[in-house]
Structure formats: structure tokens, C-alpha cells
Amino acid sequence: MGGVREPDRRNAPSCIGFGLRRQDLREKALRAARILQKLLGIDRVRIIDVEFTDDERGPVIVVTLEPHASVRSRCPHCEQRCPKYDRPNRPRQWRHLDMGGMRCFVQTSVSRIRCPEHGVVTEMVPWARPAANMTRAFDDNVAWLAAHSPATSVCEYARVAWRSVTRIVTRVVDDAVGRTDRLQGLRRLGIDEIAYRNGHRYLTVVVDHNTGRLVWAAEGHNESTLNRFFDELGEERTARLTHISADAAKWIASTVRSRAPQVKRCMDPFHVIQWMTRALDRLRSRVLSRLWGFTDQDRRPLRWALLTSRISPPRRSQSEQRSSTTETANSVEATS
């Protein structure tokens, strides 16, 4: 054993230092993945890859995700675990919120499953609604913008077509209607009709005065349309109504009187001011005709003058203006 030499470790690689460097790099990569996942705002997924590309519309970020096993092979409608039907050859992409001014897409490979209730459907992903090619966060953002700004501005800001905005709003509204009951807790309502297309096409709308939100709308403006609202509201919730504001339409008054006789009917401020203005115009017209003998043609320019407390002389015809100008010129010549 005395002839065996101890190995020289002076030039040997530092295995301990190399291992620490690899561990540091792994921790930094995991930290970066967690930060990116926080920025995406998507849970129950694992980030596989991040790619930066360019297309004709500018730079694009593509993030490849892998959903957790707990959310795989589930129906997007009932969320039940179902057997697989087939698997596509290439991954599917969803538009996400922009990151750093660049369009962002998330992608993953999804399978089709056979649900006993809904048939063959694409399996659920935790970041998007069923049958959508945008993420849930992108849908909610565009729907909020569509409710507070014109459609052209939304399309330009989100960089999507107006048809996509319409489909997004439909998805978000359907999702909200299925989760909330807008007819719950109603006490004071406002009923009116609104024209939504040429050709005298109207919608009957019902708003909640306590929250200021639209709670019900349907096509048509007659008694049968309003009766549909009270049918959905039910007798128990109808009995809790205290006030209803509307215009003087007979179909609204008769329906409210028969379906909710206990409520206090109020006239909405717009029509009250409109009726007062019309009555004041008729009174002003009679006063002008009785005191000063103005005709209908003379009363038109005097309406706004009386409203601003400034009375202007009645408008004269062109022949009267020419004769007045001639008399003024003759008087000037005689004076000179």
C-alpha cells in the first residue's frame, strides 16, 4: 500500500463549485418562470418555452404552456373528466394580453374528448372559455373597453377585427348571465324603449335605479314584450317592487297596472321636461298672438329670444326692407 500515491487535486475540476453554479442557474430559471407566470396571470400551468417571433403586424411573444394533470381531459362545459377521442398534430394558440407593447399568444397541445353529455369537444384549458381563441383575461379586457368606448377605438387598441369584438362581448355576457341573477333584489325600476336599427325596430329595456345597471332587454315595445319580463321576474319578486318610472306610453301603464298594482308609477325626468317645454311653447305662442299680433312666421325667431330674455323685432319681408332703405337714403339726401 505504500507504493500507491495520493492523486493530485491541484489541477482537478471543482465538482462542488460546478454543482453550485448549476444549482444557481436552475434557481434563476425557476424564478424567471415564476415571474413570467405571474405576468401572464394564468394558474395551474407550467411554462415550457418562450419564443420571440415577427410577422407582418409586428413582434410577437409565444409562450408554450403545459396544464397541470388535474385540469387535463376535462369537458369545458361540465368540467367532468372524460376519455380522449383524438389528439391534433400541432399545438393550438390563444391571444393573450399584450406584454411590453408586443402581441402575446399562449399555446399548448390539446386533445378532443368524448363527453357523455356534450359529445366530442375540445378539452378544457384553465385560461380560456369554451370554443374561444382568446384567453379569458383578453376577453374581459376587450369587453370592458367595448362598454366604455367606441368599437373603432377598441379594435385599434386591441388590434382585432370588429367581428372579434362582437364575439368576445357575446361570450362574456353569456358567461356573466349564467353566473349572476340580474333580477334578484329589484325594488325601483325604469322602463323605456329604444330604437336599435332603421325601420322602427325597438328594444324594451329595464334598468335598476338602485344600481344604474341594465337588468333586462328584449326586442319589441308592446304589452306582450313587457309581460315576458314580469313572467321571468315572478310573482314573489314582483310583489317586492316599490317604484317604476316610465313615459306615458299606454302599453307600459296598462301592463304595470295589471302585473304590479302596488308600485308607485313615476314619470321619468326627460319626458316631464319635454312636456313642460311644449306647454310653455304653446303658452308663449298664445301670448305673442294676443298681445302683439305676431304671425307664425314671426314667432319662430322670437322663441329663443324670449328664452334668453331678449326680444328682437319681428322679421320683415324683402319688399319692406327695400322700401325702408330707400326712405333712409332720401332722408339723408334731403338733409345734405
Side-chain angles (χ1 to χ4, degrees):
M1 295 296 293
V4 179
R5 296 182 180 181
E6 192 177 57
D8 188 5
R9 302 179 183 273
R10 289 176 297 179
N11 298 325
S14 177
C15 297
I16 298 178
F18 181 70
L20 290 176
R21 286 195 295 271
R22 289 184 58 185
Q23 184 177 358
D24 293 341
L25 292 175
R26 188 181 299 108
E27 291 179 355
K28 290 180 180 179
L30 292 175
R31 192 180 302 113
R34 285 194 293 267
I35 293 174
L36 181 58
Q37 185 174 352
K38 288 290 185 180
L39 293 176
L40 291 174
I42 301 176
D43 299 328
R44 296 181 294 178
V45 296
R46 185 167 65 94
I47 296 177
I48 303 300
D49 188 21
V50 180
E51 182 181 1
F52 295 83
T53 60
D54 291 305
D55 58 9
E56 65 278 0
R57 300 176 60 184
V60 178
I61 303 176
V62 180
V63 183
T64 304
L65 303 176
E66 182 182 5
H68 289 176
S70 59
V71 297
R72 299 301 299 263
S73 301
R74 291 187 179 273
C75 176
H77 304 286
C78 60
E79 298 187 5
Q80 294 183 359
R81 193 178 294 275
C82 306
K84 291 186 178 181
Y85 180 77
D86 61 2
R87 187 176 182 88
N89 297 327
R90 56 182 181 179
R92 180 180 171 186
Q93 290 186 350
W94 290 262
R95 174 74 184 277
H96 194 50
L97 296 175
D98 295 351
M99 297 183 62
M102 295 182 288
R103 288 176 297 131
C104 179
F105 291 86
V106 296
Q107 68 176 9
T108 189
S109 296
V110 292
S111 304
R112 290 198 301 174
I113 58 176
R114 186 188 298 275
C115 178
E117 182 178 355
H118 301 94
V120 178
V121 293
T122 303
E123 65 177 339
M124 182 188 72
V125 290
W127 57 79
R129 293 181 172 88
N133 55 356
M134 282 85 169
T135 62
R136 190 182 298 270
F138 188 85
D139 283 353
D140 296 341
N141 185 44
V142 172
W144 188 91
L145 290 174
H148 295 82
S149 56
T152 54
S153 301
V154 177
C155 296
E156 185 175 357
Y157 177 79
R159 289 178 281 191
V160 294
W162 66 269
R163 288 187 177 87
S164 299
V165 175
T166 303
R167 289 192 292 266
I168 288 172
V169 172
T170 302
R171 286 198 298 266
V172 174
V173 170
D174 291 342
D175 193 12
V177 169
R179 291 182 298 148
T180 59
D181 186 5
R182 291 179 173 268
L183 303 181
Q184 188 66 30
L186 297 180
R187 295 295 182 271
R188 300 185 304 161
L189 301 180
I191 304 174
D192 201 355
E193 71 274 2
I194 182 174
Y196 71 98
R197 192 176 295 179
N198 294 333
H200 298 284
R201 298 185 181 183
Y202 294 89
L203 292 175
T204 298
V205 296
V206 180
V207 298
D208 183 7
H209 284 309
N210 292 334
T211 61
R213 295 180 179 179
L214 175 68
V215 296
W216 191 86
E219 188 174 2
H221 62 300
N222 47 34
E223 294 184 3
S224 61
T225 304
L226 191 56
N227 279 319
R228 288 168 50 193
F229 164 72
F230 284 106
D231 292 339
E232 296 183 18
L233 187 62
E235 295 182 359
E236 182 178 354
R237 291 186 291 192
T238 301
R240 299 175 184 174
L241 298 177
T242 59
H243 297 77
I244 291 181
S245 66
D247 56 15
K250 295 181 179 180
W251 61 274
I252 297 179
S254 60
T255 305
V256 172
R257 190 183 303 109
S258 60
R259 301 299 297 268
Q262 82 283 356
V263 302
K264 295 182 179 179
R265 293 182 56 243
C266 310
M267 297 295 103
D268 61 284
F270 173 80
H271 288 88
V272 171
I273 298 299
Q274 186 184 54
W275 298 332
M276 292 178 60
T277 304
R278 291 177 179 175
L280 185 60
D281 287 342
R282 289 193 295 268
L283 177 62
R284 186 185 299 111
S285 177
R286 290 196 298 267
V287 169
L288 290 176
S289 300
R290 187 178 305 170
L291 296 181
W292 297 332
F294 289 147
T295 62
D296 293 338
Q297 185 177 2
D298 298 332
R299 284 197 298 268
R300 293 175 184 175
L302 286 176
R303 179 178 183 271
W304 302 110
L306 290 175
L307 289 176
T308 56
S309 300
R310 293 193 300 270
I311 301 179
S312 59
R315 185 179 301 174
R316 294 180 296 180
S317 62
Q318 295 182 358
S319 60
E320 293 176 349
Q321 292 178 1
R322 284 195 298 268
S323 62
S324 177
T325 304
T326 304
E327 293 177 359
T328 304
N330 294 334
S331 63
V332 171
E333 292 177 356
T335 304
S336 61

